[in-house]
Amino acid sequence: MVCQRDRPPVGHFVLEESILRRQVGGSEVMREQIRQILEYTEPIHMSVQIMPMDRMPHAGLAGPMTLLETPEHERPVYLEVQRAGFLVDDPDEVSDYHHKYGMLRSQALAPDESVHLLSGLLGES
């Protein structure tokens, strides 16, 4: 994956290991999804960390969140549930989500360990 922008967007992702092991769409579909995730681990401005299934409890059990930063350096948080999504922009709540994300990253596998796990799921380690 090559980004042609002078300042490419930065992305850091923490994924639950269970989503990599649950067979959705068949084994080849799952393998292709894992290959795609591995592509996102290559650029310097991207990282992927896996939250192992045996790390319980962890800071992400309340559900997914997307931390954003606008060009104006505003930092809303996007939350999504089954049929709705919304932005949180209250500074106190946003701060809580950033702290929770920091905890998630410290609880998940390191990026290189995550790549090793992903490669192992493909039978490449």
Side-chain angles (χ1 to χ4, degrees):
M1 171 202 304
V2 177
C3 188
Q4 303 297 325
R5 296 168 64 174
D6 289 336
R7 292 187 68 195
V10 174
H12 301 287
F13 306 90
V14 178
L15 306 173
E16 283 277 354
E17 180 182 0
S18 61
I19 69 168
L20 304 169
R21 296 187 180 276
R22 186 179 318 274
Q23 289 290 318
V24 177
S27 59
E28 190 51 41
V29 169
M30 293 302 294
R31 291 175 62 74
E32 184 56 32
Q33 288 181 13
I34 292 168
R35 284 186 202 103
Q36 290 283 316
I37 293 168
L38 278 167
E39 282 186 32
Y40 286 107
T41 67
E42 294 172 11
I44 192 71
H45 60 280
M46 305 289 277
S47 72
V48 174
Q49 290 180 256
I50 307 301
M51 180 64 72
M53 291 190 303
D54 64 356
R55 301 261 166 96
M56 292 296 281
H58 64 73
L61 291 177
M65 63 180 153
T66 303
L67 307 180
L68 305 165
E69 184 171 354
T70 70
E72 296 78 28
H73 302 291
E74 296 168 339
R75 300 177 78 187
V77 176
Y78 178 72
L79 302 173
E80 192 171 298
V81 293
Q82 287 188 7
R83 293 187 171 188
F86 55 95
L87 286 174
V88 174
D89 60 3
D90 174 74
D92 290 334
E93 284 189 65
V94 168
S95 179
D96 289 345
Y97 283 108
H98 279 270
H99 289 298
K100 183 179 282 197
Y101 183 65
M103 289 175 61
L104 267 174
R105 290 195 69 191
S106 72
Q107 294 169 331
L109 296 176
D112 60 331
E113 294 170 319
S114 297
V115 167
H116 183 75
L117 185 145
L118 291 164
S119 296
L121 291 172
L122 292 176
E124 297 175 1
S125 66

